[in-house]
Amino acid sequence: MKEKVVYLLNERRINMRNKILIVCALRLLFTGLQAQNDRTITGRVLEEASGEALSGVSVVLYSTDSTLIAGASTDADGIFSLKTNRSGDCFMTASYMGYLQQRFDLSLTDKNRNIIHTDIFLQQGSIELQEISVVTRRRQMVYKLDRKVIEAAGYISTAGGTAIDILEQTPSVRVDANGELTFRGSSGFKVYIDGKPATADGSAALEQIPAGQIENIEIISTPSAKNEADGVAGIIKVNTKKQTAGGWSGMINATGSAVESRSIDFLTFYKNDKLRRQTSGEASRRYLVSDFDQLKHINVDDALTTTHATGERKSFVELYAIRSGLDLYRDKTTWSAALESRYRIRNRGGRLHYEDTCLSNITGERTNVSYEGHDYVRLHDLTLKGDLGFEHRFSDNGHSLTGSFLAFYEHDAMEFFYTDLFDMSGNLAQGHRAWEYEYRFTAQGNLDYVLPLNDKTGKIEAGYYFFTYTEDGDYKVDFFNPSQNAFERHDDLYNKFVFRRDIHALYAMLSNTHSKFAYQLGLRGEFAHRKLENNEAWARHTWDKFDLFPSAHLAYTFDESNRLILGYSRRITHPQLFYMEPYVVYVDYYTAQCGNPKIRPEYTNSIELTYARTIGEHSAAATLFHRRRTDKIERLRVPYHTGVTLDSMSNVGNDYSTGAEIATNFHLSKRWNTDVNGSMFYYLIANEHKIDGDEESLNWQFALNNNFDVARNTRMRLESYFVGPSVSTQGRVNEFFYFNFSVRQQLFNRQVSATLNIRDVFSTAKYVDTKNGMNMDSKTIIYPASPLVTLSLSYAFNNFKSQKKEEKTMHDLFEGTNR
């Protein structure tokens, strides 16, 4: 009996094993047949206006009855790959938030198993405003995997303005009373123009770019490892307009304002199948005029000094620039070259009345004296710049090698300072003259390699980057000697310096897309060297350091109208040379400035989460962010001598920003759309220089803007801005608000546009800055000259696809904030 049971069990095992073998064989046969029937569709999706790749585009394959067959998302190079074993007729769609959907009919047969689709070009979403004449509104902001893109065409009030005016339209961007732009409380950002670094830093670079020549601006707050690590606030990339049609085309813009601002700029293109030539130029003078009121108390040298200064402050930036570029298309390689010459003048000054009171802490004696003060700062430089570049495409699937090199030389850069104090009889009582002559040279190059992975949606990127900067300068100063009634050179204050900074970096990145999920991971290693030679032994130093800068970006696309993006990066801000210059200069007779040669760089870790959604014609995006910065660099004010304060740069400690921002756009009717954006974040400075402890504030700002198409080719815009308070290590800037009005009329088949802007319509803007330190306090109030009226004209010829310079918001209403 026992043997029979064992026999039956063994027989069952044999039968089961045979069945398993048969099933496996059938599965292998089916899989083989299925693999033979698999068909692959690959292609690339690009933005029509710029020709740039779009990542995260949803590409879906459907049967003729709209049954879903397969889906994929494009990678960072815009490449997608679909697999199916179906045959017959079908159709494919390409959808991306903020862009018009494209549909393509396909036929899958045995003869075309591997289909390489032609490039797909997506247009940004638009709304037809007229039944006969089609006028479109572009999406004002588009969110991509690692950046947000601001479309310049969405803002009519930037007519006659600069890149700063466009950026002011976005959440968390703030411009102080001196025209300095900050993003989430930090001004440490790098500026690129058409992929090349700007010749100036930060706000100084942005104010040199006419708004009328800008296609869009990219804000990269958590840059990937591919980007240089300098700039804790991230990177701002300005992309100028490019003409995609053949032949000649261009545009000319001219602007004038009630405070004598004037500008004219032009942009011309020629394009055929083998080359594209571009020439642009600008001549401009932009003014800021403000009423200035400052009260200072200084307790030093056994005396309490009170100084009250009132009067008008004025500044202007004068710019003359010409640039010419050439792109050559040769088989799979594109070569590019450009030359640029730029002459810039920055003037700042004022005529102030001073009332001084000095109270002796020993005798109690009080003295009063009045002065009329004239102060003036002039900076000018001539910049010559050249760049070369190439892009070689080994194949059409994104396999490429790209390289670029640029160099610019700033010749005869000079900074001139003077301050004069006259008694009430008109006699010169005190004064000084200072000259700083500089020669600057910058060179930068990079080599970038992209290798697609076998799945055709992923890729590996690697590259090398170098940067070198050298500045050679000297500083001389004269002071007025009342007894000799003459200015005398102070050789003891003469300063000669040579500064050099070198950076070498390697990076590697991995990115891929799996269905609706996309990721990008990177690591950058940088070696930085800086050396300051100086005739003052205490100021000489050498600094060398190697750092690692990781980055990570993740995205999940729910559908073509819903997307979630997570980004992280580590950054550094290398201190600029003027932060370290070890000599004293006078902004006015009672305000001196000096650098700090031993200042350390800032480091930042940033993380943010963004959700973006479109519902029909409406769109909204919300971002949560947190940033931690170590060794924050800030300007501190201390008593210098009787009646005079000294501002110097210092590492004040760490700061933290945690908050949210939101941007929405609603099309309320055929002729009315509104955008609402705002931000709110908690800001904390854990500082080392405040006896009373840390500084903190709840920073916020809010904007409500309305666009009305009041008639055919006539558009009106109303803007309202509410800017909340902010804190620094030593003080606070109060909240303020203002309103702007713009109207644009297009003429002659929309080739000519005339735009009228009125800024601060009700004269409500007022800048109030208080500072408190040991033995010192000050309060500065600045009223801008307002309302400010500006008229701009724009002419586009030969069917140039003009993104008219549209909206202009200016928080740079004030002049005189670093007093």
Side-chain angles (χ1 to χ4, degrees):
M1 183 67 179
K2 183 176 181 181
E3 289 82 357
K4 187 175 181 179
V5 171
V6 171
Y7 171 77
L8 292 173
L9 290 173
N10 288 334
E11 187 176 20
R12 288 179 179 177
R13 290 192 184 103
I14 293 171
N15 290 335
M16 181 61 71
R17 183 180 62 188
N18 291 336
K19 289 180 180 179
I20 292 172
L21 290 173
I22 292 172
V23 170
C24 290
L26 290 173
R27 286 185 176 178
L28 287 172
L29 178 62
F30 176 77
T31 303
L33 292 173
Q34 188 179 42
Q36 292 179 5
N37 292 326
D38 276 352
R39 293 168 175 81
T40 302
I41 305 170
T42 58
R44 186 172 60 162
V45 182
L46 307 173
E47 184 183 51
E48 184 179 66
S50 65
E52 294 184 352
L54 291 175
S55 64
V57 176
S58 178
V59 183
V60 183
L61 187 67
Y62 296 95
S63 63
T64 53
D65 61 357
S66 299
T67 301
L68 176 67
I69 299 175
S73 295
T74 58
D75 64 12
D77 290 320
I79 296 172
F80 67 88
S81 179
L82 298 172
K83 291 184 179 180
T84 180
N85 59 358
R86 298 281 190 94
S87 61
D89 293 336
C90 56
F91 68 91
M92 180 178 70
T93 63
S95 306
Y96 191 56
M97 187 184 308
Y99 291 78
L100 297 178
Q101 186 185 78
Q102 293 273 37
R103 170 176 167 152
F104 305 91
D105 293 323
L106 301 173
S107 181
L108 304 179
T109 65
D110 292 338
K111 295 182 180 180
N112 57 350
R113 295 186 182 279
N114 296 305
I115 299 175
I116 300 178
H117 200 278
T118 57
D119 285 346
I120 299 171
F121 292 90
L122 295 187
Q123 291 182 336
Q124 290 210 12
S126 59
I127 302 160
E128 188 174 302
L129 302 178
Q130 304 289 345
E131 294 180 359
I132 300 176
S133 177
V134 178
V135 182
T136 63
R137 294 196 196 107
R138 279 192 164 189
R139 301 284 184 183
Q140 293 180 340
M141 194 174 299
V142 177
Y143 287 81
K144 298 186 179 182
L145 179 63
D146 62 345
R147 67 197 65 193
K148 54 186 174 185
V149 182
I150 307 164
E151 294 297 337
Y155 306 105
I156 65 170
S157 61
T158 58
T162 66
I164 290 180
D165 304 315
I166 298 173
L167 286 166
E168 286 173 339
Q169 311 278 342
T170 63
S172 296
V173 171
R174 179 169 181 161
V175 179
D176 69 14
N178 201 44
E180 293 296 321
L181 184 145
T182 60
F183 179 66
R184 296 173 184 169
S186 176
S187 60
F189 55 86
K190 301 294 288 185
V191 177
Y192 280 73
I193 304 172
D194 292 330
K196 309 292 184 182
T199 55
D201 293 313
S203 300
L206 295 171
E207 70 183 10
Q208 298 180 34
I209 311 171
Q213 297 184 9
I214 296 174
E215 179 84 11
N216 58 49
I217 300 178
E218 302 175 14
I219 299 178
I220 311 174
S221 50
T222 56
S224 69
K226 182 177 181 178
N227 298 282
E228 62 176 298
D230 194 17
V232 295
I235 294 173
I236 294 177
K237 291 188 175 182
V238 179
N239 300 309
T240 60
K241 294 176 180 177
K242 304 287 190 301
Q243 176 69 336
T244 56
W248 283 99
S249 62
M251 64 186 305
I252 301 173
N253 308 295
T255 300
S257 80
V259 293
E260 300 181 1
S261 290
R262 303 286 186 271
S263 70
I264 184 169
D265 64 85
F266 71 91
L267 188 61
T268 64
F269 287 97
Y270 175 78
K271 185 179 185 300
N272 59 29
D273 293 337
K274 295 183 179 180
L275 62 85
R276 179 172 62 185
R277 185 183 304 138
Q278 174 181 340
T279 303
S280 62
E282 177 187 6
S284 64
R285 174 180 285 195
R286 294 185 171 91
Y287 275 96
L288 281 178
V289 181
S290 294
D291 291 327
F292 181 86
D293 188 328
Q294 184 180 73
L295 183 66
K296 285 184 183 180
H297 298 94
I298 302 172
N299 197 343
V300 68
D301 296 335
D302 295 323
L304 174 63
T305 303
T306 301
T307 301
H308 189 196
T310 57
E312 182 185 76
R313 300 210 63 87
K314 180 183 293 187
S315 70
F316 71 83
V317 176
E318 195 169 340
L319 182 66
Y320 305 93
I322 186 74
R323 176 182 172 84
S324 183
L326 178 67
D327 297 329
L328 297 175
Y329 310 114
R330 296 292 182 268
D331 296 326
K332 294 185 177 182
T333 304
T334 299
W335 299 92
S336 62
L339 291 174
E340 179 179 356
S341 178
R342 184 178 297 264
Y343 181 68
R344 181 185 60 162
I345 302 172
R346 300 186 71 182
N347 285 314
R348 184 177 67 239
R351 292 178 175 268
L352 303 178
H353 176 75
Y354 295 95
E355 291 289 340
D356 284 3
T357 301
C358 183
L359 177 64
S360 173
N361 294 331
I362 300 175
T363 65
E365 181 182 358
R366 180 188 299 268
T367 58
N368 299 298
V369 64
S370 299
Y371 293 106
E372 295 294 332
H374 300 169
D375 60 82
Y376 177 78
V377 179
R378 178 185 173 94
L379 302 86
H380 67 76
D381 54 68
L382 173 64
T383 302
L384 304 175
K385 177 182 176 182
D387 58 73
L388 298 170
F390 74 90
E391 180 185 9
H392 179 73
R393 298 173 295 281
F394 298 99
S395 62
D396 293 331
N397 65 351
H399 189 193
S400 64
L401 179 67
T402 304
S404 67
F405 173 81
L406 68 88
F408 51 91
Y409 174 63
E410 297 172 85
H411 174 70
D412 194 26
M414 193 270 286
E415 300 178 21
F416 172 62
F417 307 82
Y418 87 71
T419 60
D420 289 334
L421 279 183
F422 298 90
D423 62 27
M424 301 312 293
S425 299
N427 299 313
L428 183 61
Q430 300 288 344
H432 104 294
R433 305 283 186 270
W435 298 263
E436 182 179 338
Y437 295 93
E438 300 169 348
Y439 297 87
R440 313 181 188 115
F441 175 77
T442 304
Q444 178 175 318
N446 61 279
L447 196 63
D448 303 297
Y449 177 70
V450 180
L451 176 66
L453 299 179
N454 291 331
D455 60 8
K456 299 182 181 180
T457 62
K459 64 178 179 179
I460 295 174
E461 298 176 82
Y464 166 73
Y465 163 87
F466 81 89
F467 169 88
T468 182
Y469 174 80
T470 302
E471 182 171 328
D472 185 349
D474 60 56
Y475 174 75
K476 304 172 183 177
V477 60
D478 295 347
F479 282 94
F480 183 71
N481 185 340
S483 63
Q484 299 295 323
N485 196 32
F487 285 89
E488 297 178 348
R489 177 65 46 87
H490 279 237
D491 292 329
D492 57 318
L493 297 179
Y494 171 78
N495 196 275
K496 171 69 176 176
F497 61 90
V498 178
F499 175 77
R500 177 162 179 170
R501 174 177 285 131
D502 298 307
I503 297 175
H504 297 271
L506 294 171
Y507 75 88
M509 293 179 57
L510 172 66
S511 58
N512 210 334
T513 301
H514 298 284
S515 184
K516 296 182 177 183
F517 177 73
Y519 67 86
Q520 182 189 81
L521 306 174
L523 181 64
R524 185 182 187 91
E526 280 196 358
F527 173 77
H529 164 81
R530 85 178 188 214
K531 185 174 184 180
L532 178 62
E533 292 288 345
N534 197 274
N535 58 321
E536 298 287 346
W538 66 272
R540 300 173 197 152
H541 74 275
T542 300
W543 183 87
D544 297 287
K545 192 171 184 183
F546 177 80
D547 281 301
L548 292 175
F549 300 97
S551 69
H553 295 85
L554 310 173
Y556 186 81
T557 303
F558 300 96
D559 54 46
E560 61 267 20
S561 61
N562 290 273
R563 201 175 193 203
L564 191 67
I565 305 170
L566 177 67
Y568 162 80
S569 70
R570 182 174 188 258
R571 308 280 295 167
I572 185 175
T573 292
H574 294 285
Q576 301 177 50
L577 176 58
F578 74 84
Y579 289 0
M580 297 180 281
E581 293 171 337
Y583 46 85
V584 175
V585 298
Y586 282 79
V587 180
D588 59 44
Y589 192 78
Y590 291 92
T591 306
Q593 294 180 353
C594 181
N596 177 3
K598 303 301 175 66
I599 200 165
R600 302 183 300 274
E602 300 175 331
Y603 290 91
T604 300
N605 287 276
S606 300
I607 187 169
E608 62 181 49
L609 177 67
T610 298
Y611 174 70
R613 181 171 185 177
T614 58
I615 304 174
E617 299 172 354
H618 315 299
S619 63
T623 299
L624 301 176
F625 60 88
H626 175 73
R627 185 192 68 199
R628 179 181 184 271
R629 175 168 49 178
T630 59
D631 281 335
K632 170 181 166 59
I633 299 174
E634 190 172 304
R635 188 184 301 276
L636 296 181
R637 177 166 291 177
V638 296
Y640 187 41
H641 55 77
T642 303
V644 179
T645 57
L646 177 68
D647 294 347
S648 184
M649 309 305 295
S650 178
N651 296 105
V652 299
N654 303 335
D655 72 346
Y656 308 84
S657 300
T658 303
E661 61 189 33
I662 186 169
T664 63
N665 184 264
F666 302 102
H667 292 274
L668 303 177
S669 71
K670 184 178 179 180
R671 296 181 179 274
W672 177 23
N673 82 301
T674 183
D675 52 274
V676 181
N677 65 65
S679 67
M680 179 176 291
F681 61 94
Y682 171 72
Y683 183 61
L684 171 67
I685 304 176
N687 67 74
E688 302 170 356
H689 297 270
K690 184 79 174 177
I691 297 176
D692 297 334
D694 300 336
E695 290 288 341
E696 61 182 351
S697 67
L698 185 64
N699 292 18
W700 57 268
Q701 61 185 62
F702 170 78
L704 172 62
N705 304 317
N706 291 275
N707 293 291
F708 301 94
D709 292 283
V710 295
R712 181 177 179 177
N713 297 330
T714 304
R715 184 170 296 173
M716 182 174 67
R717 181 172 171 90
L718 302 175
E719 301 175 343
S720 53
Y721 293 92
F722 304 86
V723 183
S726 63
V727 299
S728 63
T729 302
Q730 288 189 309
R732 167 190 173 96
V733 176
N734 289 1
E735 63 277 4
F736 60 92
F737 65 95
Y738 60 97
F739 303 90
N740 298 336
F741 169 79
S742 303
V743 60
R744 185 192 69 189
Q745 177 66 51
Q746 294 179 310
L747 306 165
F748 306 109
N749 197 26
R750 296 191 302 277
Q751 285 188 297
V752 176
S753 294
T755 305
L756 176 70
N757 293 318
I758 304 177
R759 183 180 53 163
D760 191 17
V761 176
F762 303 110
S763 302
T764 55
K766 181 173 69 171
Y767 178 88
V768 181
D769 180 14
T770 57
K771 286 183 169 60
N772 296 279
M774 186 177 296
N775 299 321
M776 182 278 306
D777 66 76
S778 66
K779 182 177 183 178
T780 304
I781 304 175
I782 301 174
Y783 301 88
S786 59
L788 177 62
V789 180
T790 302
L791 178 64
S792 302
L793 298 175
S794 179
Y795 169 63
F797 56 91
N798 287 359
N799 296 318
F800 180 79
K801 293 182 179 179
S802 173
Q803 286 191 153
K804 301 294 187 286
K805 303 180 289 182
E806 297 194 47
E807 306 190 12
K808 178 171 189 154
T809 234
M810 294 182 68
H811 297 326
D812 60 336
L813 298 165
F814 319 96
E815 162 55 26
T817 50
N818 37 351
R819 280 29 177 217

